[in-house]
Amino acid sequence: MAKLQVVGLFFLILNVGFIFAQNNATQSVPQYLALVADTKIASAQVQDFVVQQMGKLKQQFPDIAAQIDQDMQSLTTSNPTLPWKNPADYHTTVFYLGYNATLMQSDFYTQFQPGKSYALQSSTFVYIPGTIMCTPVFPSPKINIANKCPHITLKINKWEAFKSNAVLEALFVNGGPLQTQYQADFFMQQEQTLAKRFQSMKIGNDTVDVYIIKTNYNTDKHLDLTGVAQYCDDAKSKETSTSSQQLNFFLSVMIAALSYLLF
Ligand SMILES: *[C@@H]1O[C@H](CO)[C@@H](O)[C@H](O)[C@H]1NC(C)=O
Ligand SMILES: *[C@@H]1O[C@H](CO)[C@@H](O)[C@H](O)[C@H]1NC(C)=O
Ligand SMILES: *[C@@H]1O[C@H](CO)[C@@H](O)[C@H](O)[C@H]1NC(C)=O
């Protein structure tokens, strides 16, 4: 009997060790920090918003109606058909570490509070035909964000999601055409509206036409999401990593308890 209890104790120690090792693993260097919205809620809101803003852009710029119709063919539901795709999730990046442990000493990292909720609201839509759709956001409460133009990538086609940074920086900073408005918090003001086309903008090595439309937040469809602060890693799925950790923890405790009681 005593021997079996030793075996039980061995299992218990093994499992506790396993849990500690796992907790250690969760503190490994994340790829980036982000405010992540619930995918179901976000995809429904994004779909309504995209449909509305593309319709308004079509009225405003009838010369690109054919291009808008072509893009909208792919975007008739919240699950687009190629060539458009949804981003892996809807989030606002706070700080990109790229797995670099040195950057865990940065204020962006140390001030980050995982689990905290932020409002992500917008009535501004940025569109490059056949290429990418994104929206600037201004998380509330305020949080220090490393990116010059905090945003959510809404839909992607030719360009990857990270290119939203370059698109919004071309518009809003470094002498971009909407720098004055951006600095004056124009895009945070609910009732302000604007619709513009900027032709032949240089973004990276590409030259593209950029469309931006801001509608009235109060009277038109808009984005009103809750982003939860999370350590992120695109190589792992966020939800499964959290739930599988919880499951593993639960199983470890159960196995430890059972083995101790049974033997
Ligand atoms: C946890 O991580 C620390 C620092 O990286 C390391 O020294 C320690 O051995 C690890 N503990 C376990 C149980 O893996
Ligand atoms: C990690 O970040 C630090 C600080 O910015 C930088 O000096 C270093 O070169 C980076 N390391 C790697 C492997 O990129
Ligand atoms: C632009 O093109 C050059 C030469 O092909 C390449 O080295 C550079 O990385 C490109 N820059 C961007 C931002 O894609």
Side-chain angles (χ1 to χ4, degrees):
M1 202 62 186
K3 258 187 201 164
L4 288 176
Q5 281 180 348
V6 169
V7 172
L9 204 61
F10 171 75
F11 265 97
L12 185 69
I13 291 166
L14 195 70
N15 281 298
V16 168
F18 182 61
I19 291 162
F20 269 105
Q22 277 221 319
N23 278 347
N24 241 24
T26 62
Q27 276 154 26
S28 62
V29 192
Q31 187 184 14
Y32 60 99
L33 312 180
L35 313 178
V36 185
D38 178 86
T39 301
K40 231 185 199 163
I41 296 171
S43 50
Q45 277 193 26
V46 166
Q47 181 62 17
D48 286 350
F49 187 60
V50 165
V51 168
Q52 170 188 275
Q53 302 305 59
M54 289 291 271
K56 287 183 186 284
L57 281 175
K58 191 173 157 183
Q59 287 173 0
Q60 200 80 31
F61 303 102
D63 59 310
I64 59 152
Q67 171 75 57
I68 287 179
D69 287 344
Q70 192 191 320
D71 281 338
M72 285 315 289
Q73 263 179 25
S74 177
L75 294 161
T76 50
T77 71
S78 58
N79 257 332
T81 53
L82 290 173
W84 286 91
K85 285 182 293 183
N86 284 332
D89 58 28
Y90 296 98
H91 70 260
T92 298
T93 300
V94 170
F95 184 47
Y96 193 86
L97 292 89
Y99 307 110
N100 182 336
T102 311
L103 298 176
M104 289 167 92
Q105 281 149 30
S106 152
D107 285 349
F108 291 117
Y109 189 88
T110 55
Q111 286 169 18
F112 191 70
Q113 294 174 260
K116 187 168 169 180
S117 292
Y118 296 83
L120 303 172
Q121 300 180 327
S122 179
S123 58
T124 305
F125 177 73
V126 176
Y127 165 58
I128 302 180
T131 304
I132 199 162
M133 298 174 177
C134 59
T135 184
V137 291
F138 308 91
S140 170
K142 274 199 176 357
I143 171 173
N144 285 332
I145 292 186
N147 302 48
K148 286 182 187 152
C149 304
H151 62 270
I152 302 173
T153 299
L154 303 177
K155 301 280 172 185
I156 49 183
N157 183 344
K158 266 185 219 133
W159 287 359
E160 296 298 323
F162 74 88
K163 291 265 264 181
S164 293
N165 283 303
V167 174
L168 297 183
E169 284 172 25
L171 291 171
F172 298 147
V173 297
N174 307 326
L178 295 172
Q179 178 165 327
T180 311
Q181 287 88 335
Y182 193 71
Q183 285 176 352
D185 293 337
F186 176 93
F187 297 98
M188 290 176 75
Q189 290 165 33
Q190 301 198 325
E191 68 288 354
Q192 294 283 10
T193 63
L194 163 152
K196 284 195 182 297
R197 157 165 54 196
F198 298 104
Q199 282 174 304
S200 304
M201 287 197 93
K202 250 198 91 79
I203 297 175
N205 286 336
D206 296 286
T207 302
V208 289
D209 293 348
V210 181
Y211 295 80
I212 178 167
I213 180 162
K214 183 186 179 318
T215 43
N216 187 324
Y217 186 93
N218 299 316
T219 55
D220 288 298
K221 291 209 169 86
H222 55 252
L223 299 176
D224 183 10
L225 298 168
T226 300
V228 178
Q230 283 186 32
Y231 299 121
C232 300
D233 191 338
D234 280 346
K236 301 182 223 155
S237 152
K238 291 179 192 74
E239 261 170 74
T240 51
S241 65
T242 322
S243 57
S244 74
Q245 267 157 26
Q246 278 164 357
L247 186 66
N248 275 338
F249 182 83
F250 177 73
L251 285 178
S252 296
V253 171
M254 289 308 287
I255 290 168
L258 270 179
S259 53
Y260 192 75
L261 285 176
L262 285 178
F263 293 115

